[in-house]
Amino acid sequence: MGNNVKVKNVTRIPQLKQTLKELKSYAVEVGIFGDGEYVMIARVHEFGMTIRTKKANINIPERSFMRSTFDEKQDSWTKFVKKQLPLVLESKLDARTLCERLGALMVGDIQKKITDIKSPPNAPSTIAQKGSSNPLIELGGLRQRITYRVVSR
C-alpha cells in the first residue's frame, strides 16, 4: 500500500483508523475443510504419495493445485485487493465483503487450475477405472469442494 493513500478530510481519520483495524481483523482461508475423504484426496494430489501394498508400490505424482495457484495468482490477488481498497476506505464496501470477494476469486482460480491440470497424466489403469484422463477430475467432485471462509484473527 505504501504512501498511495491521500486523506482529503481529516475529520474522517478516526473512521479510517477503524476501517484499517477492521481490515486487519480478518483472514481468508481457502481449501477443503474438515477431515473427510476429499481432504485426504486433496493432500495426496497436492504433495504426491507412494502407496505400498503387498503386491506393488503405487506412485501418485504431485499435482499441486493449491500451492501452484497461490504462486501463480498472488500478484493478481494483491492487485484485486488494491483496486477494491479505495471502496473500503470510502465506506462504499465493508472489509468483510472485500474478504468474501477475494475468497470467491481465489476459489474460482483454484477450481480452474484443477480443471486445467493435464500433467502428469493418469495411469492407463486409472483412466479405465474413473473414465477420465484429467488427473484431478473425477465423479466425486474434488473441484466442487474447494471453498473459502473469512475468519476473525
Side-chain angles (χ1 to χ4, degrees):
M1 207 160 73
N3 296 324
N4 296 335
V5 175
K6 295 178 184 176
V7 178
K8 296 178 184 177
N9 181 350
V10 292
T11 61
R12 290 192 63 227
I13 289 177
Q15 181 185 0
L16 290 172
K17 283 183 176 180
Q18 179 59 35
T19 299
L20 292 172
K21 184 178 176 182
E22 185 183 358
L23 275 170
K24 287 177 68 174
S25 73
Y26 292 116
V28 179
E29 297 177 349
V30 181
I32 298 174
F33 303 108
D35 59 359
E37 177 184 8
Y38 280 94
V39 172
M40 182 270 305
I41 291 169
R43 189 176 298 126
V44 166
H45 283 291
E46 183 69 26
F47 298 103
M49 175 181 253
T50 299
I51 301 170
R52 290 170 176 77
T53 68
K54 291 180 181 179
K55 295 181 181 180
N57 289 339
I58 302 167
N59 183 44
I60 301 170
E62 176 182 313
R63 295 181 179 100
S64 174
F65 57 93
M66 296 286 292
R67 292 172 297 141
S68 63
T69 304
F70 183 84
D71 291 345
E72 293 166 10
K73 295 293 186 173
Q74 185 175 5
D75 289 343
S76 69
W77 293 339
T78 300
K79 287 177 187 174
F80 172 81
V81 170
K82 285 182 178 181
K83 190 174 180 179
Q84 300 287 303
L85 195 54
L87 297 173
V88 175
L89 295 175
E90 295 166 9
S91 299
K92 294 179 180 175
L93 182 69
D94 65 69
R96 183 169 185 92
T97 301
L98 171 58
C99 292
E100 297 279 347
R101 289 179 179 181
L102 176 60
L105 176 64
M106 295 169 82
V107 165
D109 287 340
I110 293 167
Q111 288 175 331
K112 182 174 181 341
K113 178 72 167 200
I114 288 172
T115 301
D116 292 348
I117 287 180
K118 305 290 186 239
S119 180
N122 282 327
S125 59
T126 303
I127 294 170
Q129 180 183 7
K130 74 178 204 177
S132 170
S133 62
N134 188 314
L136 297 181
I137 301 294
E138 80 296 323
L139 297 176
L142 176 70
R143 184 180 184 280
Q144 290 83 354
R145 284 175 174 78
I146 302 294
T147 190
Y148 73 91
R149 60 187 176 198
V150 177
V151 296
S152 296
R153 294 194 220 196

